[in-house]
Amino acid sequence: DQQVKQNSPSLSVQEGRISILNCDYTNSMFDYFLWYKKYPAEGPTFLISISSIKDKNEDGRFTVFLNKSAKHLSLHIVPSQPGDSAVYFCAASPSNMRFGAGTRLTVKP
Amino acid sequence: NAGVTQTPKFQVLKTGQSMTLQCAQDMNHEYMSWYRQDPGMGLRLIHYSVGAGITDQGEVPNGYNVSRSTTEDFPLRLLSAAPSQTSVYFCASSSLPYREGTEAFFGQGTRLTVV
């Protein structure tokens, strides 16, 4: 029973354009959401988070949007850079993190 | 900064063998956890600990044991390895169970193959 779903296994965008990665969740008890980035042969690294009392959080080129009524969150990367090419995991938590399957982002020069 | 250190990085086991994956953190974090990553499945929680002497099961605990005798170390034991345990294993630590402002730090992973 996957409580956190990332339905797009891959996404390809042109350098300089916007990347939008999506995530859906089913458990209404989730109150804290995180995005992690993972390069090959490395552990995931924290990117940005948002609590359920907010609907938007920004950190530089990265913005996370939360729509609680739709149980949906998205990560926007503007502008996208080739170094952003990685697998992005969405995670949700009331206490322990539950992860989505990940989306592989490729940013083409 | 060492952060979270996992050993070994790679391991090949025969079915039925046992082994321990080591995880150590130097950030004085109370909360530690083990995940496995499989294609199309994301990261799934195996076991976690909220402090020395306290452990609990995650989503996929069968076939694994853990203990937490110190704040720094959280080893994961495979009792009798099975091919279904072929995976990449990640250890993570954080200062608290995940609340706003908390992030988990991950080790570099252990790639385990059971033949």
Side-chain angles (χ1 to χ4, degrees), chain A residues 1-5 24-33 50-53 66-73 92-96 98, chain B residues 99:
Chain A
D1 174 27
Q2 255 191 318
Q3 299 183 54
V4 179
K5 298 179 183 179
D24 297 293
Y25 62 96
T26 57
N27 190 338
S28 57
M29 297 298 292
F30 289 147
D31 60 358
Y32 184 48
F33 305 88
I50 188 167
S51 112
S52 60
I53 62 173
L66 176 62
N67 182 335
K68 290 186 290 293
S69 59
K71 294 192 178 67
H72 177 83
L73 63 157
S93 167
S95 56
N96 294 303
R98 294 290 191 261
Chain B
R99 288 288 175 257

Side-chain angles (χ1 to χ4, degrees), chain A residues 1-2 31-32 34 36 38 41-46 49 51 53-54 89 93-102, chain B residues 31 33 35 37 40-45 48 57-59 90 92 97-109:
Chain A
D1 174 27
Q2 255 191 318
D31 60 358
Y32 184 48
L34 308 93
Y36 279 82
K38 185 181 180 304
E42 295 184 9
T45 55
F46 172 77
S49 65
S51 112
I53 62 173
K54 298 180 181 175
F89 290 101
S93 167
S95 56
N96 294 303
M97 287 194 294
R98 294 290 191 261
F99 283 84
Chain B
Y31 196 82
S33 51
Y35 288 85
Q37 183 193 7
M41 302 290 290
L43 288 87
R44 291 181 292 169
L45 181 66
Y48 65 97
Q57 297 181 350
E59 302 168 79
F90 290 100
Y98 312 104
R99 288 288 175 257
E100 179 147 13
T102 302
E103 62 169 284
F105 294 84
F106 283 82
Q108 289 205 316

Side-chain angles (χ1 to χ4, degrees), chain B residues 6-26:
Chain B
Q6 287 183 237
T7 56
K9 286 189 170 53
F10 301 95
Q11 183 71 49
V12 179
L13 285 180
K14 293 182 179 179
T15 297
Q17 286 185 316
S18 62
M19 79 160 294
T20 299
L21 280 63
Q22 302 290 345
C23 175
Q25 53 95 4
D26 61 359

